[in-house]
Amino acid sequence: NVTNFSYVSGTAYCLSWLIKPGTGNFWQVNFSSTRFPTNCYANFSLSAGAYTIGAGADAAGIEVYANGWALIWVAGTCNVSGTTTCGSLYNVTAITSAYRQIFTATNASCTVWAPQMEAGTFPTSRILTTTAAVTRAADVVSLTGATATAALAAKSAYFETSRCSNP
């Protein structure tokens, strides 16, 4: 469980974890059912880089990195304001496991780092902190030449600019 967090009803939140598999392949990230719909969760297969999403969740995703780590996340909309745990990470039997269908037959392992809870429907860059809430500075992206062309061909992008001066 991640430490307590204050939720506002009607607001979407995203819980993300960086995870590196050990002996366990299937993991579930879920929100507390006291503040979110009961089926607000997602299951992840770390070896396949795949996920399934519970009916109460808004969105989920997995981004697998070359070094064995993966970013897994689930987003949901709070339906009861209040303070409770941010959410949980469970080892489950399969990518199709039900909400909190915990797999306890083995001592599955994984390494986790930098769990992050934030308002929104997708994870942002990590905000490393110890105890107090921190406001993240805006991300700055600079792309030039062939790198920009390749990056934009592989992804969609949105840019907002303003004219600062006349040429």
Side-chain angles (χ1 to χ4, degrees):
N1 288 343
V2 182
T3 191
N4 284 343
F5 192 83
S6 294
Y7 298 100
V8 177
S9 182
T11 302
Y13 295 91
C14 181
L15 175 59
S16 60
W17 300 73
L18 284 164
I19 184 169
K20 188 170 191 174
T23 59
N25 179 48
F26 299 109
W27 297 90
Q28 182 178 101
V29 175
N30 62 53
F31 285 103
S32 168
S33 60
T34 61
R35 304 284 173 232
F36 290 82
T38 300
N39 290 318
C40 193
Y41 72 94
N43 292 327
F44 301 90
S45 168
L46 301 182
S47 63
Y51 65 93
T52 58
I53 185 170
D58 297 338
I62 183 171
E63 186 173 338
V64 179
Y65 303 111
N67 62 4
W69 286 89
L71 174 68
I72 58 176
W73 60 274
V74 64
T77 300
C78 173
N79 58 3
V80 179
S81 295
T83 301
T84 192
T85 60
C86 286
S88 301
L89 176 69
Y90 293 110
N91 176 235
V92 292
T93 56
I95 197 168
T96 56
S97 293
Y99 178 72
R100 292 192 178 177
Q101 182 183 346
I102 305 166
F103 184 47
T104 58
T106 65
N107 292 320
S109 65
C110 69
T111 302
V112 294
W113 184 69
Q116 184 162 296
M117 171 63 73
E118 58 195 309
T121 56
F122 58 88
T124 62
S125 55
R126 307 322 282 167
I127 306 168
L128 301 179
T129 183
T130 55
T131 55
V134 175
T135 301
R136 179 176 63 86
D139 288 332
V140 177
V141 177
S142 297
L143 299 172
T144 58
T147 302
T149 302
L152 292 176
K155 305 278 185 189
S156 60
Y158 170 79
F159 295 94
E160 183 175 329
T161 64
S162 60
R163 189 172 185 173
C164 298
S165 62
N166 290 327

